[in-house]
Amino acid sequence: MAYWTSSHPFQPEIQAYWNELSNKYSITPHIQFGTLVVKAVWDSDKSLYHVTTQDVETGKEKTLQAEILVSALGILEVPRFPDIPGISDFKGKIFHSARWEDEGLDGKRVAIIGNGASATQFLPIIAKKEGIDIMQFCRTPNWIFPPFLKRYMIKSTPEEYHEVLMPKYDLGCRRLLFNTDYLPALHRSNVRLNYGGISGIVKDGIMTKDGERIPFDTIIFATGYRSDSYPLHVEGAEGKTIQEYYDSKGGPTAYKGTTIPGFPNLYMIGGPNTATGHTSVIFTEEVQVNYSLDLIKPILEGKLSSIELPPSSMPTATSTLAKVAHFNQSPLKGTIPITTALPPTSTTIAALRPLYNRAARAFLHRDIPLTQSLIESAFAQLHPPDSATDSFAEQRRKWDILRITLESTVYSSPEPLPESLKEIQLQSPQALLTSLHARSLALFTPKRERSNVNSIYLPTQVLTTLIYSSLRLDAPDFGRIIIEDWLSKRDVSFMGKDKDAAGNGYEKVLELYCLQILPKLEQWEYAQEFLEYEGELPVTSRERLVGLLRSLQAEVMSSRMSNQTSSLSPPEEDWSPRSISPAPSSSSSSSSLSTTSTHTVVPNPRVPHQPVSSLAPLTPSTRLRASSDSDSTATARQPSRRPALKTRSTESPSSSFSSGVSSIPRSPTQSSAVRPANLNTYALLKASLAPYMSTSNVSTFFLVFVILPLVSFMLRARHRRQNALNGANSSASNVVQVRRRLQSVGNVGALNRFWRLAVQVICDTVRMAGSGLV
C-alpha cells in the first residue's frame, strides 16, 4: 500500500496494510493462526519457558519450549463491563464494542453505554443505518480534538447539549478524543444523549436514576478495557504469575513497561504505563522493540542463557543479572546494562522531569532506597556540560541539590540504608562535605575545563545547599571555606545570570555567610566589618543584613549572660576582645598559629559613581596542619580596627582549594571565644570560688577555717581564764601585768597569722576579678 487514504482509516484499510506487511517480510509462515496460549511456565534448570497452546477449533493442547517469550497482547485486550445490576436479565442482544456484532442493527432501538474513544468512533457509523434509533448514556464529558476550543465544540453540537458536553476539568487530565464526525452526528434526529445515569437493566431495556423505563432491542457497551490485569497465566522463576506480581505491587508495574523482576527472558510490548492516550503508541512500541532486541541478542548468540531484572532494582533499575550459557547458574561478575547513557535530548529532559517529582515525593516520605535509586538513574543521563550553559542546566542543578540533601540528611540516620549510602556513614563530616563539594564542582565544570575545576561554575542554589549541609553536620568552618573560595573566584559578568528563585544568589550567599557561618564561628566583629566594607549589595540589602546581624548578636549575648549568671565556669584560655581571626597574625609568632580558614574575604570599598568591582581574589596563606579529624582550635590574633584592603600573599602558586579543605581544623567552642561583660560582684565571687567548691575542697576549707579557728578560740578562752585566776591570786604589781600584756600583743600565734593571710588573699582575688585581671 503506497499511502493511507486518511489520517483515521477504517478497519478494511488497516487489515489490508497488515496483510501487505506480513507478505512483504515473509512473516505469515511464522504465524500459527487459530491457536490460544493457555499458559507459560519458566524452567530454571533449562533456562526456558514451557508454553502450552490450544487449537481453538479442535481443543487439542500441545507444549513447546521457548528460550525467549515476548508478550504482545497490548493493553486494550480484555473488555471491561460496568457493575450495573440486571445485565443478565436483558432479553435482547447485548455485546461489548471490543467483540463487535454488526448484523441486525437496522431498525433497532440501540442503547450505547459509554462516551469514550470507542463510542465516538462507531456511533457516527451505525447512526447511518436505516431505521435505527440510538440513545447514548454518558457520564463524564471529554475534550474533543481538533481543535482544543470550546467555540469549536459549541459550534459543532446542538444547543441543548452545550452544557453537558463541555468538560469541567483542564485539558489533558483525561484522554483526548479525535472528532471522527461524532459531534456532527449529534444533530441527527435518531441520536440522543442521556446524562441522567442508569440505575439498572431490566429484561426489555434500561431503568434510569430518575425512574424512567426506556425500552431497547440492543445494548452496546463501550466501557473500555481491563488494563489493570494480565489475561495470561505466565509463571516466573519463583512460581508466581504476572498477575500475582501486579497484585503485590498494587497494580501493573514493569521496568520501562517491558521487563519484570522474576521473569527471565520475558519482554512485554505495550506493557504497563506505556500508553498516554495523547501520543503515538507506535513510537513507544518501536522503542520497546529496540530495547528488547538489545537484551535478546546475547542470548541468541549463545553468550548468555538468561537475563533477569533483579527485584531490588525496581522500579528504576539500571542493570540486570545475567547467567552464562550452557545453563551455568553462577552469575557473571559484571552485569548487562539494561540502559545506556543517552545523548542529551529533549526526550531525556521530558523523562527526567516526572522522575524528579517522584524522587522528591519519595524523599519526603522517607523512602530512602527508592529516592537513591531514582537519583542514580537520573545521573546516568546527566553529565558535565560541554559549555557553561546548556539545556540540561536546570535538571543538573535540581538533581544535585536533591542528592546533596539526601546524603547529608541520612548521614546520621539510624534507618537502614542502601549499600551505596552506608559508606558515607563511615566518613567524618569534613570528609563527606569535601567529597560532596568536589563532586558538584566536577558536575558543573564544563568538559573543556575538567583539568581545572572552578567554583565559578557552581550555581548559587547548589552552593547554599552545601552551606546548609555544613551547618547541619556542625562543620561551619567548611561552609566558610567554600563560600570564601566562591567569592574569591566570582566573576560578576559571568555570575549575573545566576539568580536563585528569590532574586540575587550573591545576596543569599552573603546572608548565610554573615548571619549563619561567621556567627557560628564567633566571628561577630569580622562579619560586621565585612558588611561595612562590602560594595556590591544595594544599600537597603546591606542595611538589612547589618540590622539582622546586630539583633542576632544581641540576642545571643543576652542569652549567654542569663545562663552564665546562674552558672559560670572559670575561663580556660586567655581572652581577647577580638573574636577569632581567620588569618594568622603579622607578628613574628604567626607561623605557629593554626587557622580556621585558608582564605580571608576582603570586601572592596565602596567608590561613589564608579562601577562596583568584584571581591579581591583569595589565596591560601598557609598550609593547614590539622587533619580533617583534628580537634585543634584556632588561635586569636591581636585586634584590628579595619579589615586590610589587600590580598594576602600566597605560599605557592600551586596551592589549591581542595588541599586546604582536606585538612580543616574544627571551630573553637563558643564558651571560650567570648567573655561576657558587666558581671556583678556576686557573680565574680562565685566564679572565683567555683574551682574550690568540690566536696574534698569544701571539707578542707571547713577543717581549716571552721574547726581549727573554733578549737583555737576555745583554747585561747581557757588560757585567758587561767591567767585571770592567776592574776587575782598573785601579788605582782601593776607594772608586771602591763609588761605581760605588751608581750602578748607582739607575739601573735602562727594560726592567727595564717587566718589573716587567707582573708587577705580572698579579698585581693575579688578586687582583681572586678578589674578584669582574672
Side-chain angles (χ1 to χ4, degrees):
M1 180 175 294
Y3 57 90
W4 296 100
T5 60
S6 66
S7 61
H8 296 78
F10 291 97
Q11 182 268 345
E13 188 173 349
I14 296 176
Q15 184 180 20
Y17 166 76
W18 284 115
N19 289 335
E20 180 181 350
L21 193 67
S22 178
N23 294 329
K24 179 179 180 180
Y25 293 100
S26 301
I27 298 175
T28 304
H30 301 283
I31 301 176
Q32 292 188 17
F33 296 99
T35 304
L36 174 68
V37 176
V38 178
K39 65 178 180 179
V41 180
W42 173 255
D43 187 338
S44 298
D45 295 333
K46 297 182 179 181
S47 293
L48 53 78
Y49 283 96
H50 297 284
V51 183
T52 302
T53 63
Q54 182 184 62
D55 190 301
V56 295
E57 295 182 358
T58 64
K60 183 179 180 180
E61 293 185 355
K62 65 178 181 179
T63 302
L64 54 88
Q65 286 75 40
E67 286 87 358
I68 299 168
L69 187 63
V70 178
S71 173
L73 297 175
I75 301 174
L76 311 180
E77 203 276 334
V78 180
R80 178 189 297 275
F81 287 88
D83 187 15
I84 299 177
I87 291 180
S88 59
D89 296 335
F90 186 66
K91 301 302 181 181
K93 180 181 291 187
I94 187 170
F95 61 90
H96 195 282
S97 59
R99 305 293 184 262
W100 188 258
E101 300 180 17
D102 195 31
E103 294 79 8
L105 294 181
D106 293 328
K108 302 295 184 181
R109 296 169 298 179
V110 178
I112 300 176
I113 300 178
N115 63 324
S118 297
T120 56
Q121 291 176 36
F122 70 75
L123 184 147
I125 306 302
I126 66 173
K128 299 177 183 178
K129 292 184 176 291
E130 185 178 353
I132 192 173
D133 184 71
I134 300 174
M135 177 174 287
Q136 183 183 19
F137 290 87
C138 308
R139 184 176 59 180
T140 305
N142 296 288
W143 286 105
I144 298 179
F145 177 90
F148 312 134
L149 297 176
K150 292 184 178 180
R151 184 192 313 167
Y152 172 79
M153 295 182 63
I154 292 175
K155 182 179 179 181
S156 303
T157 56
E159 184 177 356
E160 58 184 300
Y161 298 141
H162 286 176
E163 183 66 25
V164 295
L165 278 178
M166 298 308 303
K168 303 299 189 296
Y169 54 85
D170 291 337
L171 180 69
C173 294
R174 291 169 61 91
R175 179 180 177 182
L176 299 178
L177 305 182
F178 285 87
N179 182 22
T180 52
D181 294 331
Y182 172 73
L183 296 180
L186 298 181
H187 289 277
R188 299 180 64 95
S189 60
N190 63 337
V191 176
R192 292 169 294 164
L193 300 182
N194 188 309
Y195 276 85
I198 300 174
S199 62
I201 297 177
V202 294
K203 62 180 181 179
D204 61 345
I206 293 177
M207 183 70 70
T208 63
K209 289 185 176 180
D210 57 8
E212 182 181 4
R213 187 186 185 108
I214 306 176
F216 293 103
D217 302 309
T218 303
I219 298 178
I220 304 176
F221 287 96
T223 49
Y225 301 82
R226 298 188 61 86
S227 58
D228 56 351
S229 62
Y230 189 75
L232 291 183
H233 181 94
V234 179
E235 293 184 15
E238 299 179 358
K240 292 183 178 180
T241 65
I242 293 179
Q243 185 59 48
E244 290 173 341
Y245 175 80
Y246 284 176
D247 295 340
S248 67
K249 295 297 182 180
T253 304
Y255 178 69
K256 292 186 177 296
T258 309
T259 54
I260 301 176
F263 293 85
N265 296 3
L266 172 66
Y267 306 98
M268 307 178 73
I269 306 301
N273 305 311
T274 57
T276 64
H278 305 345
T279 57
S280 173
V281 71
I282 297 177
F283 170 77
T284 303
E285 292 178 350
E286 288 175 346
V287 173
Q288 286 186 289
V289 169
N290 293 333
Y291 162 67
S292 301
L293 290 177
D294 288 340
L295 298 179
I296 293 173
K297 182 178 180 180
I299 299 176
L300 296 180
E301 293 175 348
K303 298 178 181 179
L304 300 173
S305 63
S306 66
I307 296 179
E308 179 184 355
L309 190 73
S312 60
S313 60
M314 280 295 291
T316 56
T318 57
S319 63
T320 60
L321 300 178
K323 296 180 181 178
V324 298
H326 310 299
F327 314 117
N328 187 346
Q329 298 302 310
S330 60
L332 296 175
K333 291 184 179 180
T335 58
I336 300 290
I338 200 167
T339 59
T340 56
L342 299 177
T345 62
S346 58
T347 304
T348 307
I349 296 177
L352 287 174
R353 288 171 181 167
L355 197 67
Y356 176 83
N357 295 333
R358 186 177 181 186
R361 286 194 301 269
F363 178 69
L364 292 176
H365 289 88
R366 302 293 296 179
D367 192 344
I368 303 303
L370 176 57
T371 307
Q372 176 66 9
S373 179
L374 291 168
I375 289 175
E376 290 177 353
S377 297
F379 278 101
Q381 313 298 333
L382 292 173
H383 308 283
D386 294 325
S387 58
T389 57
D390 65 355
S391 57
F392 275 72
E394 180 183 2
Q395 293 298 322
R396 194 179 292 109
R397 172 179 54 80
K398 290 167 57 177
W399 281 102
D400 194 48
I401 291 174
L402 180 60
R403 179 168 60 176
I404 295 171
T405 305
L406 172 68
E407 295 182 3
S408 61
T409 301
V410 304
Y411 175 73
S412 58
S413 173
E415 303 177 7
L417 299 178
E419 292 296 330
S420 57
L421 290 178
K422 288 182 179 178
E423 297 179 359
I424 68 174
Q425 293 185 323
L426 303 178
Q427 304 179 47
S428 66
Q430 301 285 4
L432 173 62
L433 292 169
T434 300
S435 63
L436 296 182
H437 182 258
R439 185 179 61 189
S440 296
L441 288 179
L443 177 65
F444 291 97
T445 301
K447 294 180 180 179
R448 66 174 185 271
E449 303 286 344
R450 291 302 298 274
S451 59
N452 183 27
V453 293
N454 195 328
S455 57
I456 189 176
Y457 299 107
L458 198 65
T460 55
Q461 297 91 335
V462 176
L463 178 64
T464 54
T465 304
L466 288 167
I467 298 170
Y468 281 123
S469 297
S470 70
L471 294 171
R472 182 184 297 111
L473 300 183
D474 196 23
D477 40 11
F478 180 87
R480 176 176 187 171
I481 285 182
I482 62 175
I483 292 176
E484 293 176 352
D485 178 73
W486 181 81
L487 290 173
S488 67
K489 300 175 181 177
R490 178 173 170 271
D491 184 348
V492 177
S493 60
F494 176 82
M495 304 297 291
K497 301 178 181 179
D498 185 16
K499 303 245 183 196
D500 58 16
N504 197 329
Y506 171 72
E507 180 177 346
K508 180 64 177 179
V509 172
L510 289 196
E511 181 176 345
L512 289 174
Y513 182 60
C514 296
L515 300 184
Q516 297 283 347
I517 296 297
L518 293 180
K520 191 79 172 178
L521 295 172
E522 298 298 335
Q523 299 289 312
W524 297 100
E525 184 177 349
Y526 181 77
Q528 293 176 358
E529 292 176 346
F530 179 89
L531 291 176
E532 179 181 354
Y533 287 92
E534 195 282 329
E536 290 187 37
L537 286 178
V539 176
T540 54
S541 299
R542 188 183 305 106
E543 291 177 350
R544 180 182 68 87
L545 292 181
V546 171
L548 290 175
L549 180 63
R550 290 174 179 173
S551 300
L552 178 63
Q553 184 178 14
E555 181 180 353
V556 171
M557 295 304 174
S558 175
S559 175
R560 290 178 184 171
M561 288 184 61
S562 62
N563 293 335
Q564 294 181 2
T565 299
S566 60
S567 176
L568 285 175
S569 60
E572 299 178 358
E573 301 180 16
D574 293 338
W575 173 78
S576 171
R578 167 83 181 207
S579 58
I580 297 171
S581 171
S585 172
S586 59
S587 64
S588 59
S589 61
S590 63
S591 60
S592 63
L593 298 178
S594 66
T595 63
T596 59
S597 173
T598 58
H599 301 84
T600 298
V601 172
V602 183
N604 286 334
R606 294 187 291 276
V607 180
H609 310 295
Q610 293 185 9
V612 179
S613 61
S614 61
L615 295 179
L618 306 183
T619 54
S621 62
T622 181
R623 298 281 184 182
L624 293 178
R625 302 181 180 181
S627 66
S628 60
D629 295 326
S630 171
D631 291 327
S632 61
T633 305
T635 306
R637 63 168 178 171
Q638 295 299 322
S640 173
R641 297 305 302 167
R642 292 183 181 273
L645 299 179
K646 62 181 179 179
T647 60
R648 200 181 309 157
S649 61
T650 60
E651 181 180 83
S652 66
S654 61
S655 299
S656 64
F657 170 77
S658 59
S659 64
V661 175
S662 63
S663 57
I664 304 172
R666 296 183 181 175
S667 60
T669 57
Q670 295 180 357
S671 62
S672 63
V674 175
R675 176 185 176 89
N678 301 328
L679 297 179
N680 56 34
T681 303
Y682 171 74
L684 293 173
L685 181 61
K686 187 174 181 180
S688 300
L689 296 178
Y692 312 103
M693 298 305 292
S694 62
T695 303
S696 59
N697 290 340
V698 170
S699 301
T700 303
F701 284 0
F702 185 80
L703 176 64
V704 173
F705 295 104
V706 178
I707 300 298
L708 291 182
L710 182 61
V711 173
S712 176
F713 176 80
M714 295 174 63
L715 292 176
R716 290 170 62 85
R718 181 180 177 184
H719 182 69
R720 288 175 180 175
R721 285 196 300 267
Q722 290 178 354
N723 291 337
L725 293 175
N726 293 333
N729 298 326
S730 174
S731 59
S733 65
N734 292 334
V735 175
V736 175
Q737 294 180 5
V738 169
R739 184 183 298 112
R740 290 177 177 175
R741 290 179 180 178
L742 291 175
Q743 292 176 351
S744 64
V745 171
N747 298 328
V748 179
L751 184 62
N752 193 7
R753 289 198 302 272
F754 177 80
W755 171 261
R756 292 181 180 179
L757 181 61
V759 172
Q760 183 178 359
V761 168
I762 294 175
C763 294
D764 291 342
T765 302
V766 172
R767 286 196 297 272
M768 293 172 67
S771 302
L773 299 178
V774 296

